[in-house]
Amino acid sequence: MSQQSKPHIMISTTKLSVAIALPSDATSMAFFSCELWWDLNGGVSDFPDIKNMESMEILMLKSCNIRGRIPEYISTLTNLRILDLSFNRLEGNIPNFGDLFRLSTIYLTSNKLTGLTPEWMIKERDDRYVIDLSYNNFSKNNLQPPTCRESLNLYRSFSIQNKSVLSDCLSPCSKDKYSLHINCGGKQIIIGNTKYEGDEDVGSAAKLFYNNTANWGFSNTGHFWDIQSGQDKYITKNVSILRMNNSGLYTTARLAPLSLTYFARCLANGKYTVKLHFAEIVFRDNISYYSVGRRMFDVYIQGKLELKDFNIEKEAGGVDKEVILIRKAVVNDKTLEIRFQWTGKGTTNAPRRGTYGSLISAISVESDFKPPAESKRKIYVAVGVVLVVCIVTSIILGILWWRGCFGGKESREQVLGGLDLKTGVFTFKQIKAATNNFDSGNKLGEGGFGSVYKGVLLDGTCIAVKQLSARSKQGNREFLNELGMISALEHPNLVKLHGRCTEGKQLVLVYEYMDNNSLAHSLFGQEKGGPLKLDWPTRQKICVGIAKGLTFLHEESAFKIVHRDIKASNILLDRDLNPKISDFGLAKMDEEENTHITTRVAGTIGYMAPEYALWGYLTDKADVYSFGVVALELVTGKSNMKFHPNENYVCLLDWALVSQQKGNLMELVDPRLGSEFNKEEAIRMIKIALLCHNPSPALRPTMSSVVSMLEGRSTVHELIMDPSIYGDKLRFEALRNQFNSFTTDTSSVN
């Protein structure tokens, strides 16, 4: 049977195209084809009777005003590969099509389907299958995956009473937002004082994409029917010179063959101004076949039809010209939706196939009201932390020092007792009992702060006890700093503080116990049985977790935190090998977009960013640099502090740069992994690490961008650097000596 003669039925709002298989004998088929123009906007129809079309491979009945239930006999069409029943009025449950193993593409978006989402769709169909159930009325069940799956779209798929829940796989909101700017299909770009978020996800036929950091995403439905599978292009790029203002917004655009919804979450309720930026950058305006193309689609904002049969070229007065649609919208459930729907009008074949559908270049959303609540909240939180970190530090290190310091009559507990640190208070007797009087057998590690012990409370809870050295003045500062910082922060990838003990001369912090110690111990520890055998999925998970923790510190918490001492020994691993950032003794609070020079450089050699180590220039990009070192350690399984394989390399970065120049990044991968690792992910992690090591801090990526790249949601642009800048070992040793003169190594196992 030829590709052209395969049986199918396709009905849309503008065109009825039918190929019906008529049985003639046991070995052959006779085919009848017809084309009819049919306006289906007038009335409602029942599902057509096609149960005898057993050879059906493609069934497309989209936007046909079909009512009723999906017929059970669909499950008998064993040759069916593609089923598109989107944009109808179908009700009831989805029949069991689980035995139709050839059925790889299912579009049921925008119907009134109810009941539970079928188990065969959720559990038995993996990413090889394309399933879109968005915009329906299903009931909640426990089958939904915890994370958004690449080819299963459950956006707005649940009943009206759960309308505010877009999908269970989206993370909860942590704070309100008042604006959003997206460069659709393009990189992050700054226009004037406005930063447009990058939107470079390649998209797919049933995609629910979500940017956890910026709290926005999109739901995409459909593929281009007239091009071969796997060649769908959901992002288009302009190939001519653009002369309009802010041309950077119109260089790229996102395409959608059927339905595209952008949604902004966590917006404060109220009125907003929405600007939609369009420019026709695909069809051409010339006297040729390329000029006959037309693009027409509908635009909805908050479910209201704002534009019907919108034609970009007509409204802009030509191709490669901008047109900006400005509308008002009201947010009631902290979510704003902008939907673009292609209804079959325009063209599908000119100037080339797969260019029809909706197109959007950029989106701007601004509140019509000031955000006083957000400003006050940040002020209150920041003031609280500053009081803890600064005022308490002054009291302890000032007043008590003047009164005889750490042997005076007034105890630390008396000073700290009146402050609400949101942590528990332990007696020193409890700590001694839990650690068996600080038995050396319970010792987990030791660093500049002091020693860390495992403890067990009376209720059986395991804890990690960090005890300050009684003679450590530096430890007093770090104790107060860490107590203030970590008690005000909470995230799955930050270590949890249970409480403190400040009796007499004792300074003790009590943390959750981490079963697998630190990343340093697990990767290259030589005691107690040596390092763990960390497989590649675990290393990938650890790397992403560290990046998410730093994203929270830099971009998502109420106040910006620079950790200053990110290293393998400060990454703890729980029972399931989930990473948690620890040791906030050197952390600093920083104002948004504010950099500063610090007179006290502190950190660990081998992990410190060069601009901070040499000039005291501190921003969150110093943490990004340190993260890059840890990422290289995860890939190679080697410690940057002990890396001296031969005289040609002075550090892991030096080795990575030489390997990059030789075009052999794979030589960096830990040989203990053997062949059991994802080559694409390993190369990606190395390239991201090199991006984090850009000599210019301004050119290093943000940690939210790092998360997106690690998870494969955005493209990694390779950075090529000259290895010679790290190859002069004499200069390296000179720098090391310079570091030693004014830095503090806080190496410890928390």
Side-chain angles (χ1 to χ4, degrees):
M1 184 182 296
S2 68
Q3 180 68 29
Q4 289 76 16
S5 64
K6 287 185 177 180
H8 63 282
I9 177 171
M10 301 177 70
I11 306 177
S12 68
T13 56
T14 58
K15 189 175 182 180
L16 173 63
S17 173
V18 186
I20 304 175
L22 301 175
S24 57
D25 54 45
T27 60
S28 65
M29 287 282 191
F31 296 95
F32 169 79
S33 298
C34 68
E35 282 196 356
L36 298 174
W37 290 99
W38 187 16
D39 183 1
L40 297 175
N41 294 325
V44 179
S45 61
D46 294 327
F47 204 98
D49 186 0
I50 54 174
K51 57 176 171 289
N52 293 326
M53 302 179 68
E54 298 177 356
S55 297
M56 182 79 67
E57 292 193 7
I58 300 175
L59 175 58
M60 182 197 294
L61 298 169
K62 67 177 182 179
S63 302
C64 292
N65 266 344
I66 300 176
R67 65 188 175 189
R69 305 174 70 92
I70 301 175
E72 295 282 349
Y73 66 71
I74 298 293
S75 61
T76 66
L77 306 179
T78 55
N79 291 311
L80 196 62
R81 295 185 295 106
I82 298 174
L83 176 65
D84 185 352
L85 304 178
S86 56
F87 293 95
N88 285 294
R89 302 185 182 186
L90 296 169
E91 301 175 344
N93 298 329
I94 301 176
N96 188 351
F97 302 150
D99 292 334
L100 299 180
F101 297 110
R102 297 191 65 194
L103 184 57
S104 59
T105 301
I106 303 173
Y107 297 129
L108 300 177
T109 186
S110 293
N111 280 286
K112 299 179 180 180
L113 298 170
T114 57
L116 299 177
T117 48
E119 183 172 356
W120 64 268
M121 279 189 171
I122 305 299
K123 290 189 175 181
E124 298 176 15
R125 294 297 205 259
D126 54 26
D127 283 345
R128 293 171 296 177
Y129 298 85
V130 174
I131 301 175
D132 195 302
L133 304 179
S134 59
Y135 291 101
N136 276 288
N137 297 324
F138 296 110
S139 302
K140 285 283 187 176
N141 60 24
N142 296 323
L143 295 176
Q144 280 69 252
T147 58
C148 296
R149 211 168 80 190
E150 182 69 20
S151 60
L152 173 65
N153 191 349
L154 297 174
Y155 180 82
R156 292 287 193 206
S157 60
F158 303 112
S159 56
I160 192 68
Q161 58 265 33
N162 294 307
K163 185 177 180 181
S164 62
V165 181
L166 307 181
S167 176
D168 285 349
C169 66
L170 305 184
S171 61
C173 298
S174 58
K175 59 183 178 180
D176 286 345
K177 297 185 62 177
Y178 299 86
S179 65
L180 176 66
H181 308 277
I182 306 172
N183 183 23
C184 302
K187 301 178 181 179
Q188 178 180 298
I189 186 173
I190 296 178
I191 303 294
N193 295 323
T194 302
K195 182 178 76 171
Y196 284 78
E197 301 281 347
D199 175 28
E200 300 181 84
D201 187 271
V202 294
S204 64
K207 182 67 175 284
L208 175 55
F209 167 81
Y210 186 55
N211 185 323
N212 284 289
T213 301
N215 296 118
W216 64 269
F218 64 79
S219 170
N220 184 85
T221 305
H223 69 263
F224 296 99
W225 295 98
D226 54 6
I227 61 178
Q228 293 181 0
S229 177
Q231 295 180 350
D232 291 10
K233 300 294 183 183
Y234 299 94
I235 292 178
T236 185
K237 296 183 179 181
N238 179 67
V239 295
S240 61
I241 299 175
L242 300 176
R243 293 182 172 84
M244 77 276 282
N245 294 330
N246 304 326
S247 60
L249 292 178
Y250 304 98
T251 303
T252 61
R254 185 168 291 279
L255 286 167
L258 182 57
S259 175
L260 171 65
T261 300
Y262 275 93
F263 57 92
R265 300 182 64 231
C266 309
L267 292 176
N269 291 336
K271 295 181 179 180
Y272 287 79
T273 297
V274 178
K275 294 182 180 180
L276 304 179
H277 301 252
F278 302 96
E280 182 54 71
I281 60 174
V282 179
F283 297 127
R284 309 312 317 147
D285 187 11
N286 51 31
I287 304 175
S288 72
Y289 177 62
Y290 281 77
S291 66
V292 302
R294 295 291 181 267
R295 187 185 306 282
M296 300 170 67
F297 56 93
D298 298 342
V299 179
Y300 296 82
I301 299 178
Q302 295 296 67
K304 177 185 175 184
L305 179 62
E306 296 288 349
L307 290 173
K308 178 68 175 174
D309 297 334
F310 179 62
N311 186 324
I312 298 176
E313 181 181 349
K314 179 180 177 181
E315 297 298 326
V319 302
D320 292 343
K321 295 181 179 180
E322 67 176 341
V323 57
I324 302 176
L325 170 69
I326 302 178
R327 291 292 189 272
K328 297 293 183 179
V330 178
V331 173
N332 292 318
D333 60 0
K334 296 186 178 295
T335 301
L336 176 68
E337 289 184 322
I338 304 166
R339 191 176 192 183
F340 309 93
Q341 180 184 341
W342 184 66
T343 58
K345 298 181 180 180
T347 182
T348 61
N349 292 321
R352 59 180 178 271
R353 299 188 300 175
T355 59
Y356 56 89
S358 58
L359 178 150
I360 177 67
S361 297
I363 295 174
S364 299
V365 177
E366 290 280 358
S367 64
D368 294 344
F369 54 95
K370 294 182 179 180
E374 173 68 9
S375 299
K376 290 180 180 178
R377 186 180 70 84
K378 292 186 73 173
I379 290 173
Y380 293 153
V381 174
V383 168
V385 175
V386 170
L387 283 174
V388 172
V389 178
C390 298
I391 296 179
V392 175
T393 301
S394 299
I395 292 174
I396 296 291
L397 299 181
I399 296 176
L400 291 185
W401 180 266
W402 295 337
R403 293 184 180 181
C405 196
F406 305 111
K409 297 180 180 180
E410 187 176 13
S411 71
R412 297 178 183 84
E413 190 56 49
Q414 287 176 301
V415 176
L416 290 173
L419 295 175
D420 179 15
L421 300 179
K422 298 181 181 179
T423 59
V425 178
F426 293 84
T427 65
F428 192 60
K429 182 178 180 180
Q430 289 176 306
I431 299 299
K432 289 178 66 177
T435 60
N436 194 20
N437 198 21
F438 298 99
D439 190 318
S440 59
N442 290 325
K443 193 172 184 178
L444 299 175
E446 187 169 1
F449 182 90
S451 300
V452 182
Y453 296 84
K454 178 182 178 180
V456 181
L457 299 177
L458 292 178
D459 63 359
T461 302
C462 289
I463 57 175
V465 176
K466 181 188 289 188
Q467 183 184 34
L468 168 70
S469 172
R471 296 181 297 276
S472 174
K473 298 177 183 179
Q474 169 197 326
N476 279 272
R477 286 192 299 268
E478 294 184 7
F479 171 86
L480 295 169
N481 196 60
E482 183 153 2
L483 185 58
M485 290 288 182
I486 197 65
S487 63
L489 300 172
E490 186 173 352
H491 187 271
N493 296 113
L494 302 183
V495 70
K496 183 177 180 180
L497 179 67
H498 286 321
R500 71 181 192 274
C501 172
T502 53
E503 288 184 10
K505 296 182 180 181
Q506 300 298 330
L507 291 181
V508 177
L509 292 175
V510 180
Y511 291 94
E512 60 177 324
Y513 176 71
M514 306 296 282
D515 298 77
N516 285 299
N517 207 289
S518 71
L519 176 60
H521 180 271
S522 298
L523 265 183
F524 21 79
Q526 297 180 351
E527 299 178 357
K528 298 181 180 180
L532 295 177
K533 186 178 181 180
L534 299 180
D535 60 16
W536 179 254
T538 300
R539 299 191 194 202
Q540 170 75 6
K541 177 179 73 171
I542 291 172
C543 195
V544 172
I546 300 169
K548 287 183 176 180
L550 285 173
T551 298
F552 175 79
L553 294 177
H554 295 174
E555 305 172 40
E556 298 175 354
S557 66
F559 43 92
K560 187 175 181 178
I561 299 293
V562 182
H563 186 279
R564 289 208 295 172
D565 201 19
I566 294 297
K567 57 184 178 180
S569 60
N570 282 342
I571 307 300
L572 306 186
L573 302 177
D574 67 11
R575 178 176 300 177
D576 299 318
L577 295 172
N578 295 305
K580 294 177 185 274
I581 299 172
S582 69
D583 201 338
F584 285 77
L586 299 181
K588 275 187 174 291
M589 230 179 11
D590 198 8
E591 296 180 4
E592 190 71 23
E593 304 300 331
N594 181 42
T595 60
H596 62 276
I597 303 296
T598 177
T599 56
R600 179 177 177 265
V601 177
T604 304
I605 297 171
Y607 295 87
M608 293 167 61
E611 75 278 0
Y612 177 50
L614 293 174
W615 297 286
Y617 182 80
L618 179 64
T619 68
D620 57 342
K621 295 301 180 71
D623 284 349
V624 176
Y625 184 94
S626 302
F627 169 84
V629 178
V630 176
L632 284 178
E633 290 180 326
L634 275 166
V635 175
T636 63
K638 301 180 185 299
S639 170
N640 194 48
M641 300 294 294
K642 302 176 182 179
F643 181 73
H644 295 292
N646 58 57
E647 61 183 10
N648 295 322
Y649 308 128
V650 296
C651 60
L652 283 179
L653 177 59
D654 188 24
W655 182 29
L657 292 175
V658 172
S659 299
Q660 183 188 50
Q661 289 278 333
K662 295 190 300 184
N664 187 20
L665 290 178
M666 292 304 298
E667 73 174 2
L668 298 171
V669 179
D670 191 345
R672 291 176 294 180
L673 292 170
S675 60
E676 300 297 322
F677 68 94
N678 186 311
K679 180 178 179 180
E680 180 181 350
E681 288 181 349
I683 294 296
R684 182 190 301 153
M685 191 180 295
I686 295 170
K687 290 181 177 180
I688 292 170
L690 293 177
L691 285 177
C692 293
H693 285 130
N694 195 306
S696 172
L699 297 179
R700 294 171 200 153
T702 62
M703 288 309 305
S704 58
S705 298
V706 168
V707 173
S708 180
M709 288 186 288
L710 283 171
E711 293 181 337
R713 293 186 283 110
S714 60
T715 305
V716 181
H717 300 284
E718 189 168 3
L719 174 67
I720 305 296
M721 289 188 292
D722 184 358
S724 64
I725 64 174
Y726 294 93
D728 189 339
K729 188 168 184 178
L730 293 177
R731 182 171 60 177
F732 179 81
E733 293 299 335
L735 289 175
R736 178 185 290 273
N737 294 333
Q738 184 178 355
F739 293 162
N740 287 335
S741 67
F742 61 87
T743 61
T744 302
D745 185 348
T746 59
S747 302
S748 62
V749 179
N750 294 305

